[in-house]
């Protein structure tokens, strides 16, 4: 099984004209760094052609056309030379040079503390450094150690890959009939990733064939399927099997996990360690609107799309205007006879012209063949979406306009996003007041937009309704103002039970403590991973680990899985029975967490979102810098645990 990141550039047959053509699609800052590898010429980093500070989604470095042409010309010559030399590269730049290259490509000084994290993410030496080597003989483990992973989505699969690589016996239990988690369950029209795809993939398993910069659900699902097959984890997944309960057996230091298959048959599986990879957004929430049961038409949730239900010519209501609605409404509008979009609060959108853009064949060629191009391209996407944004999401207590923004930069962003909407609605001023949020930008999850949302709302067959819903009748959604909106179909794009972590499983730890009772709707874990009284239970994407300011959730999962693997290695290598997070460590962490979260825009009183629980505390989302979380999770500190 591979332990390398196969990303250094494959040999090529292409002729000069074809290469020149491909170079037309190049990200020039990325190409410049590849040129350093191709030529060994570090003076490129001191040259006149220098990318400006990278901003999210901008991959051209703000260079003139003439500069870009010059870089392409040099790259063509260097690539042909590289080919003629038999694809041999000059000696690799040393770590100091790589650090200079990092700062060069993003047009700003990358602080030294980021060097190791980014070096790992770049994997220029081809090594997958997030893999955990185990210093025990795997053949020794077969009868004495077993890990149960709950869920075969992005994070559960990742855990499975790492366990497989380490030779630790494991079983994955998946409630659905297929793998992919979110990317298996959400099949609504228009469903696509909204984090740049060349970065939203495992660091050790790049994909140079994404057809779009933000690809659609079938392609995401296919990616995770390919990973499951390549890393030989599919056979270890028990599909259509749900974990109903798990009870910690203190005498044996084991979890007794109750499973139920599709036929209702139950079975108990014993495991030394349980890893939850169930995610935060997998239990659809349909609001309790009076009269819903009486609806004579068809209704369903966005994550349970009824593909058997033809929307052609239908009168459709979509309730909700979050991330799911923003993607599905433009597609439904093309089919429906009449579409009513029922909005409770509008969403802030990030203008992103590349959102629906296809990746050209030329760009794919570069990713595959130009040495280190794909790695640096990933870095270029990663860095602007890294910790740089976080300070702007912290409330400035002296800022006088707290009702609409939290600090000066947030206010500038608010104006910028508002102008973006105004520009699109010059011909429809009536819509403007409805679509511009009154809460500060970034308070809820930011959505990506290329103009398709507002152009859809302007369609003749679409109406945006902002009046409150009162009830549902057999043929209509009735509004508080008395209006009856007659529809045949209702789509609930109303989100998920995000605060009910690990729900509806019943997890019982030491002394009969139930996790659902301990947590209620105020879940807490140390590092989002581990909880006192629940030894040998680890959460991926647990409380306060959602990322709303930076990175991708895959990056976070890679941090968490490495941490959990470090714990498993410790258990095995030390022949320990169990490890349980110390209460004082947990409490200290949560105090710091609360203090940090209270200062963020997500805690703003004018914002209501799935980040918060009923009491208004932010429970799902992380306030930490990526670099801190990466450092804290790199090696578990065993002093944080009571180890038996
Ligand atoms: P969501 O963000 O929670 O949005 C739910 C929407 O339903 C909101 O507009 C909410 O209004 C509305 N709503 C809820 N209850 C309502 C009620 N009783 N009456 C009227 N409106 C109601 O859910 P989501 O759109 O499914 O997205 C959830 C998360 O999933 C996202 O934030 C994102 O993290 C993830 N996601 C990602 C992608 C992607 O990457 N491409 C796509 C989809 C989802 P209020 O705002 O007023 O509460």
């Amino acid at each position: 099984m591979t332990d390398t990141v196969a990303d250094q550039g494959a040999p090529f047959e292409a002729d000069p004209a074809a290469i020149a053509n491909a170079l037309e699609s190049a990200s020039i800052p990325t190409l410049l760094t590849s040129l350093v590898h191709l030529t060994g010429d570090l003076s490129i980093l001191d040259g006149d052609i220098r990318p400006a500070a990278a901003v999210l989604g901008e991959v051209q470095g703000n260079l003139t056309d003439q500069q870009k042409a010059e870089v392409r010309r040099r790259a063509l010559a260097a690539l042909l030379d590289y080919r003629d030399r038999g694809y041999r590269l000059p000696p690799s730049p040393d770590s100091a040079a790589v650090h200079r290259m990092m700062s060069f490509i993003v047009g700003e000084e990358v602080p030294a503390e980021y060097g190791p994290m980014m070096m790992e993410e770049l994997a220029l030496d081809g090594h997958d450094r997030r893999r955990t080597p185990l210093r025990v003989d795997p053949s020794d483990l077969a009868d004495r150690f077993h890990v149960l992973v709950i869920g075969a989505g992005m994070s559960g699969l990742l855990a499975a890959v790492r366990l497989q690589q380490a030779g630790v016996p494991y079983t994955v239990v998946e409630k659905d009939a297929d793998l992919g988690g979110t990317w298996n369950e959400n099949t609504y029209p228009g469903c696509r990733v909204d984090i740049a795809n060349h970065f939203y993939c495992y660091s050790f398993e790049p994909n140079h064939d994404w057809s779009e910069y933000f690809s659609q659900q079938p392609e995401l699902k296919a990616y995770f399927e390919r990973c499951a097959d390549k890393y030989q984890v599919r056979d270890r997944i028990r599909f259509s099997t749900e974990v109903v309960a798990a009870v910690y057996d203190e005498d044996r230091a084991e979890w007794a996990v109750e499973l139920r298959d599709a036929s209702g048959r139950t079975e108990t599986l014993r495991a030394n360690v349980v890893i939850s990879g169930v995610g935060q957004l997998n239990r659809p929430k349909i609001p309790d609107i009076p009269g819903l049961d009486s609806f004579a038409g068809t209704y369903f949730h966005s994550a349970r799309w009824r593909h058997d239900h033809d929307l052609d010519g239908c009168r459709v209501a979509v309730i909700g205007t979050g991330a799911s609605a923003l993607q599905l409404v433009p597609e439904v509008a093309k089919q429906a006879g009449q579409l009513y979009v029922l909005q409770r609060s509008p969403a802030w959108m990030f203008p992103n012209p590349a959102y629906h853009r296809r990746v050209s064949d030329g760009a794919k060629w570069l990713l595959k063949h130009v040495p280190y191009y794909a790695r640096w391209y990933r870095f270029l996407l990663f860095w602007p979406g890294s910790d740089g944004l976080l300070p702007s999401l912290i409330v400035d207590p002296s800022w006088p306009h707290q009702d609409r923004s939290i600090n000066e930069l947030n206010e500038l962003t608010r104006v910028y996003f508002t102008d973006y909407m105004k520009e699109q609605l010059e011909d429809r001023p009536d819509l403007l007041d409805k679509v511009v949020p009154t809460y500060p930008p970034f308070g809820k999850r930011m959505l990506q937009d290329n103009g398709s949302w507002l152009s859809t709302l302007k369609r003749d067959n679409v109406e945006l309704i902002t009046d409150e819903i009162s009830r549902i009748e057999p043929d209509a959604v009735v509004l508080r103002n008395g209006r009856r909106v007659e529809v045949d179909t209702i789509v609930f794009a109303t989100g998920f039970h995000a605060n009910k972590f690990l729900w509806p499983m019943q997890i019982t730890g030491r002394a009969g403590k139930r996790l659902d009772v301990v947590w209620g709707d105020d879940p807490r874990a140390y590092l989002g991973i581990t909880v006192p009284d629940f030894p040998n239970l680890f959460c991926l994407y647990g409380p306060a680990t959602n990322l709303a300011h930076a990175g991708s959730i895959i990056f976070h999962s890679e941090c968490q899985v490495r941490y959990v693997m470090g714990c498993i290695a410790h258990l095995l290598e030390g022949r320990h029975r169990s490890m349980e997070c110390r209460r004082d460590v947990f409490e200290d962490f949560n105090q710091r967490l609360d203090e940090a979260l209270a200062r963020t825009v997500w805690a703003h009183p004018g914002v209501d979102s799935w980040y918060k629980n009923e009491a208004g505390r932010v429970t799902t989302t992380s306030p930490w810098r990526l670099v801190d979380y990466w450092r804290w999770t790199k090696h578990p500190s065993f002093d944080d645990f009571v180890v038996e």
Side-chain angles (χ1 to χ4, degrees), residues 36 66 210 237 312 342:
V36 175
Q66 208 180 356
W210 294 117
I237 307 172
D312 269 1
L342 289 122

Side-chain angles (χ1 to χ4, degrees), residues 183 188 192-194 281 287 289 302 319-325 327 344-345 355 444-445 469 493-496 608 610:
W183 300 112
Y188 58 77
R192 65 173 74 233
V193 65
D194 63 5
L281 301 165
I289 301 176
S302 55
I319 302 184
T321 49
S324 301
Q327 294 184 335
R344 190 164 66 180
S345 18
Y355 193 31
K444 301 187 193 211
R445 187 170 193 273
I469 299 168
T494 42
F496 301 86
D608 190 14
W610 63 266

Side-chain angles (χ1 to χ4, degrees), residues 491-541:
V491 175
F492 286 92
T494 42
F496 301 86
H497 290 282
N499 267 292
K500 292 185 172 180
F501 279 78
L502 275 60
W503 178 77
M505 294 183 292
Q506 293 192 356
I507 314 270
T508 308
R510 271 197 206 287
K513 294 213 174 125
R514 281 265 302 270
L515 193 59
D516 54 338
V517 176
V518 172
W519 275 355
D521 82 337
D522 193 19
R524 290 163 181 281
Y526 174 52
L527 298 171
I529 300 175
T530 163
V531 189
D533 291 322
F534 297 86
N536 294 7
L537 170 70
F538 300 98
C539 299
L540 310 175
Y541 199 18

